[in-house]
């Protein structure tokens, strides 16, 4: 099939539009961190390099099909097209891009400075265990799930691991992705430069619910972050109102505390996410449902439908009013 010049430009225009549409909270092309800015710059230089090659190839195609008259010269075809266009030009452009890409590596792989905030994140099936670490120690000051808060303008070191399968930790707006490998700790240093809510995701196939394993990253001013961290370190709020109190009783009576911790109550399970301040979180089920009483009730009753493969069983055997009470209790854990 012969693709005419208009179709070439149409395809190029459509691709350009697709790239322009790549903005939002989970895009490497709208960087909000120092490392992401470098990666975005590399992307645009690579795009420019590809554009040069593309324009040359399409230009020659148009010239040979539309503009050229008379016989072809075998010498010109060999020298200009094959040696020049086929070997020298791509080698030169790719070598320049390689050199530029390699020059970024030391900056991207550099550790965070001494004394930086350190956060351990463990990739679980299929959610994220997040622990804020004490300065200089590996003991956690607070544990939560599927949500990370960061102070803007300050470097942070992530210590990444996984108990069973390989995941890949990726916050496109803040930086590059890195694998979480069982039995090993990988480190990633990031410095957010803009406040806002961003989305991270798992970038390595890790099982049934791989595509349903996301998290939110909230970048805020230092004072707001300090207040948030202090609140997270506090034990859970006592339930207010009879519905929430009944919810707490049901939560404990149904054995939820065997898997979940709610600090300040007898619930101290470590299999599933810590729910101490669950009500303050943005999402239910690792970034897949916006946190609301309706979404939480649906999650507890139909986990397997919302996230196929999830380890938590569905609690659809419980009466609706019990589910409502438990939802009221958990949403009250601000
Ligand atoms: Cu975890 Cu894919």
């Amino acid at each position: 099939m012969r693709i005419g010049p208009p179709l070439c430009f149409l395809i190029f225009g459509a691709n350009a539009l697709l790239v322009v549409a790549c903005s939002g909270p989970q895009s490497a092309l709208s960087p909000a961190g120092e490392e992401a800015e470098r990666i975005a710059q590399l992307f645009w230089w690579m795009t420019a390099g590809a554009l040069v090659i593309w324009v040359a190839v399409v230009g020659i195609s148009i010239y040979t099909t539309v503009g050229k008259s008379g016989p072809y010269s075998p010498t010109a075809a060999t020298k200009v097209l094959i040696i020049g266009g086929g070997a020298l030009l791509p080698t030169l452009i790719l070598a320049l891009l390689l050199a530029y890409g390699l020059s970024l590596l030391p900056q991207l792989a550099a550790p965070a400075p001494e004394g930086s905030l350190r956060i351990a994140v463990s990739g679980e099936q299929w959610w994220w265990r997040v622990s804020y670490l004490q300065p200089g120690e590996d003991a956690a000051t607070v544990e939560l799930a599927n949500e990370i808060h960061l102070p803007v303008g300050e470097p942070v070191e992530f210590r990444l691991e996984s108990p069973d399968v390989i995941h890949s930790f990726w916050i496109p707006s803040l930086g590059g992705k890195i694998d979480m490998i069982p039995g090993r700790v990988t480190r990633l240093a990031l410095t957010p430069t803009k406040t806002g809510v961003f989305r991270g995701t798992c970038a390595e196939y890790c099982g049934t619910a791989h595509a349903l394993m996301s998290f939110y990253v909230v970048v805020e001013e230092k004072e707001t972050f300090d207040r948030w961290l202090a609140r997270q370190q506090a034990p859970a709020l006592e339930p207010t109102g009879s519905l929430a109190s009944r919810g707490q009783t049901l939560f404990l009576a149904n054995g939820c505390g065997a898997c979940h911790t709610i600090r300040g109550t007898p619930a101290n399970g470590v299999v599933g996410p810590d729910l101490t301040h669950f009500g303050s979180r943005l999402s239910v089920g690792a970034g897949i449902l916006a946190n609301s009483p309706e979404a939480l009730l649906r999650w507890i009753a139909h986990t397997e439908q919302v996230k196929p493969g999830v380890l938590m069983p569905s609690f659809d055997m419980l009466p609706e009013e019990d589910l409502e009470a438990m939802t009221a209790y958990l949403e009250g854990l601000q």
Side-chain angles (χ1 to χ4, degrees):
M1 189 181 73
R2 183 168 167 252
I3 297 177
L7 188 57
C8 284
F9 282 100
L10 203 67
I11 293 170
F12 178 72
N15 283 333
L17 278 177
L18 275 179
V19 168
V20 169
C22 286
S23 61
Q26 191 183 320
S27 171
L29 297 185
S30 40
E34 284 178 12
E35 291 73 16
E37 272 159 32
R38 291 191 190 111
I39 293 169
Q41 275 167 15
L42 176 64
F43 172 83
W44 289 115
W45 278 110
M46 291 181 88
T47 306
L51 190 65
V52 169
I53 294 175
W54 185 84
V55 166
V57 170
V58 171
I60 292 167
S61 311
I62 293 172
Y63 172 69
T64 50
T65 50
V66 183
K68 170 119 175 82
S69 57
Y72 289 93
S73 146
T75 326
T78 308
K79 278 189 184 159
V80 178
L81 276 184
I82 297 175
I83 298 176
L88 292 181
L89 184 67
T91 306
L92 178 71
I93 292 179
L94 293 176
L96 288 174
L97 286 174
L98 178 67
Y100 177 55
L102 288 177
S103 76
L104 294 176
L105 273 187
Q107 293 167 309
L108 291 174
E114 227 17 68
S116 301
L117 174 66
R118 294 181 314 134
I119 303 173
V121 183
S122 173
E124 308 283 330
Q125 285 183 311
W126 287 271
W127 57 281
W128 308 85
R129 189 188 297 274
V130 178
S131 310
Y132 283 73
L133 302 179
Q134 282 169 358
E137 284 178 52
D138 286 346
T141 60
V142 64
E143 184 180 309
L144 64 153
N146 308 320
E147 191 163 312
I148 298 169
H149 286 234
L150 299 173
V152 68
E154 295 196 9
V156 53
E157 182 188 276
F158 288 102
R159 294 167 50 90
L160 306 163
E161 49 197 330
S162 166
D164 37 35
V165 297
I166 299 179
H167 303 269
S168 181
F169 179 83
W170 192 25
I171 312 165
S173 305
L174 298 191
K177 62 171 90 94
I178 192 163
D179 279 1
M180 309 168 104
I181 302 163
R184 217 198 266 192
V185 176
T186 45
R187 285 159 207 268
L188 179 70
L190 298 175
T191 307
T193 51
K194 291 180 190 162
T195 57
V197 178
F198 306 101
R199 212 173 137 91
T201 195
C202 182
E204 171 95 29
Y205 182 72
C206 54
T208 315
H210 154 71
L212 299 172
M213 180 178 176
S214 296
F215 58 101
Y216 281 98
V217 181
V218 181
V219 180
E220 52 207 358
E221 297 297 340
K222 178 86 170 99
E223 305 82 68
T224 319
F225 168 78
D226 287 341
R227 275 202 304 276
W228 173 84
L229 190 59
R231 212 169 61 233
Q232 295 292 317
Q233 284 164 348
L237 295 175
E238 284 299 318
T240 51
S242 57
L243 186 67
S245 295
R246 204 168 80 78
Q248 186 188 43
T249 309
L250 286 163
F251 183 91
L252 297 170
N254 283 304
C256 306
C259 289
H260 297 283
T261 288
I262 297 182
R263 279 175 277 127
T265 76
N268 59 2
V270 293
V271 179
D274 183 305
L275 301 176
T276 306
H277 296 282
F278 172 80
S280 71
R281 291 186 202 149
L282 292 167
S283 73
V284 178
I288 57 175
L289 299 173
N291 192 358
S292 70
E294 298 74 33
L296 179 60
L297 196 149
R298 187 174 153 223
W299 170 257
I300 299 172
H302 308 289
T303 39
E304 184 56 40
Q305 270 162 281
V306 181
K307 187 188 268 199
V310 68
L311 296 183
M312 176 174 154
S314 296
F315 282 80
D316 50 356
M317 77 298 266
L318 296 180
E320 184 85 5
E321 58 268 25
D322 286 7
L323 290 170
E324 276 168 11
M326 283 161 68
T327 302
Y329 168 56
L330 292 169
E331 291 292 353
L333 297 176
Q334 290 294 319

